[in-house]
């Protein structure tokens, strides 16, 4: 049995180096909406940070219903985080998280009053990891097919944050 800290570190390791995730929110009519969002925080401690336009539909949606999902993937890793998003107005934090990538969306800089931060406080995470990447996945798939055994898909877990 692993301890909780190990589980959180596992999720943090899977998120390291990832730049984008798909954030799913709930619209006023109850439909789910997903959009790509740039991840701002490299050190994952249970929170993810994003920049957003203050007057955006995204901000409206999370203020009405803060429960969201963020899915992050690479060629061999998938992480799904669920939690509550808060709209944060913190000028110092905006400057701290600011980078050239954000400037592409918000060219007026971190002091633009039309920009807010979104902080996802993850409540749980589920992950699927295939160590060795695509080649290991193909090998495991071929082995399962040849031996008539079920494909394991690699490492999978659920973490309560």
């Amino acid at each position: 049995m692993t301890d909780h800290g190990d589980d959180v570190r596992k999720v943090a390791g899977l998120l390291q180096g990832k730049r984008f995730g798909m954030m799913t929110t709930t619209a006023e009519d109850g439909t789910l909406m997903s959009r790509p969002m740039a991840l701002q925080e490299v050190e994952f401690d249970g929170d993810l940070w994003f920049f957003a336009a203050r007057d955006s539909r995204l901000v409206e949606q999370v203020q009405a219903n803060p429960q969201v999902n963020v899915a992050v993937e690479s060629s061999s890793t998938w992480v799904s985080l669920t939690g509550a998003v808060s709209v944060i107005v913190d000028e110092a934090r905006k400057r701290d998280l600011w980078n050239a990538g954000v400037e592409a969306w918000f060219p007026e800089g971190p002091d633009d009053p039309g920009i807010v931060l979104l902080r996802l406080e993850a409540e749980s995470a589920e992950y699927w990891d295939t160590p060795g990447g695509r080649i290991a996945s193909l090998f495991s798939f071929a082995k399962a097919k040849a031996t008539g055994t079920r494909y394991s898909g690699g490492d999978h877990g659920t973490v309560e944050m």
Side-chain angles (χ1 to χ4, degrees):
M1 184 167 163
T2 62
D3 84 6
H4 183 261
D6 289 342
D7 291 340
V8 173
R9 281 188 288 282
K10 170 74 175 183
V11 172
L14 294 174
L15 290 172
Q16 188 172 8
K18 306 304 183 284
R19 298 301 304 148
F20 295 95
M22 291 295 288
M23 182 182 288
T24 303
T25 58
T26 305
E28 187 177 306
D29 67 359
T31 59
L32 299 176
M33 297 184 67
S34 298
R35 81 260 310 138
M37 299 290 292
L39 305 171
Q40 299 306 316
E41 191 90 329
V42 175
E43 294 296 320
F44 177 73
D45 60 359
D47 293 347
L48 290 178
W49 291 84
F50 307 91
F51 283 91
R54 182 186 300 267
D55 63 353
S56 66
R57 183 171 51 177
L58 167 62
V59 170
E60 278 180 30
Q61 289 173 353
V62 298
Q63 286 176 324
N65 183 353
Q67 197 68 26
V68 304
N69 177 270
V70 174
V72 179
E73 66 89 23
S74 69
S75 64
S76 62
T77 302
W78 298 264
V79 180
S80 175
L81 300 129
T82 301
V85 167
S86 302
V87 178
I88 307 292
V89 179
D90 181 336
E91 301 308 314
R93 187 75 169 151
K94 282 194 317 188
R95 284 189 293 281
D96 182 48
L97 292 173
W98 194 259
N99 61 64
V102 176
E103 199 162 340
W105 281 284
F106 301 107
E108 303 213 8
D111 296 322
D112 180 347
I115 302 170
V116 294
L117 290 168
L118 301 180
R119 180 182 70 210
L120 169 65
E121 295 179 69
E123 296 164 3
S124 66
E126 189 165 4
Y127 64 85
W128 298 262
D129 182 30
T130 307
R134 201 170 277 174
I135 292 173
S137 293
L138 289 172
F139 177 75
S140 294
F141 183 78
K143 180 180 172 187
K145 189 150 176 71
T147 61
T149 59
R150 185 176 178 168
Y151 172 65
S152 72
D155 190 19
H156 171 257
T158 302
V159 179
E160 295 301 318
M161 307 304 277

